[in-house]
Amino acid sequence: MARYFDDFHEGDELWSPGRTITEADVMAFAGLSGDYNPAHTDYQFAAKGPFGKPIAHGLLALIVSAGLADRDGGLDGTAVALLGVNWQFKKPVFFGDTIRLKLTVASARRTSKGDRGVIVRDIAVHNQNDEIVQTGAFTTMVLARPA
């Protein structure tokens, strides 16, 4: 069900469903982005690195997080634009890790036009061990509920 700007309040929290990051995801992302860094794509190279095995691209986990943030369809038809992303990479994401998000509405302000508002959602990306692997914020313009 679509959520309008008026449905977001500071402090609201929501957990996304989980999504497992697979080797196929990593290889598809390498092909799409052109980032074939051996830390992501070469088992032998990665085995000698600091993590002992390949890791997913940090940006892949960010992109998956963007999808998980709206997996419930709550912004379908009400999101006007993604205005900004602020992101930090805390720990590696490995092939087979399942990530899920804790989303917290950090702020919500109506624009001067009045027919929309801007929400900032703080994001904490957790793996299956409940370790925070990435954090950040998505700033989104959202339509207000029609009068």
Side-chain angles (χ1 to χ4, degrees), residues 12-25:
D12 287 353
E13 291 182 356
L14 173 74
W15 282 91
S16 78
R19 166 107 164 37
T20 301
I21 304 298
T22 67
E23 180 178 5
D25 293 329

Side-chain angles (χ1 to χ4, degrees), residues 133-145:
V133 295
Q134 297 183 358
T135 60
F138 295 149
T139 302
T140 309
M141 184 174 288
V142 181
L143 292 175
R145 189 172 302 286

Side-chain angles (χ1 to χ4, degrees), residues 85-122:
V85 176
N86 180 357
W87 212 251
Q88 296 82 44
F89 304 94
K90 304 290 188 181
K91 292 186 174 190
V93 174
F94 297 103
F95 299 3
D97 279 359
T98 299
I99 61 173
R100 65 190 182 115
L101 314 181
K102 180 180 180 184
L103 301 102
T104 305
V105 177
S107 66
R109 66 171 177 80
R110 192 172 294 270
T111 65
S112 58
K113 271 186 113 174
D115 65 341
R116 60 195 71 184
V118 175
I119 60 168
V120 176
R121 294 176 294 164
D122 286 339

Side-chain angles (χ1 to χ4, degrees), residues 9-53:
H9 304 95
E10 280 187 35
D12 287 353
E13 291 182 356
L14 173 74
W15 282 91
S16 78
R19 166 107 164 37
T20 301
I21 304 298
T22 67
E23 180 178 5
D25 293 329
V26 172
M27 296 308 163
F29 187 82
L32 179 66
S33 68
D35 181 352
Y36 289 97
N37 185 311
H40 310 300
T41 60
D42 182 330
Y43 278 85
Q44 297 305 311
F45 177 89
K48 298 173 189 164
F51 306 112
K53 57 186 175 180

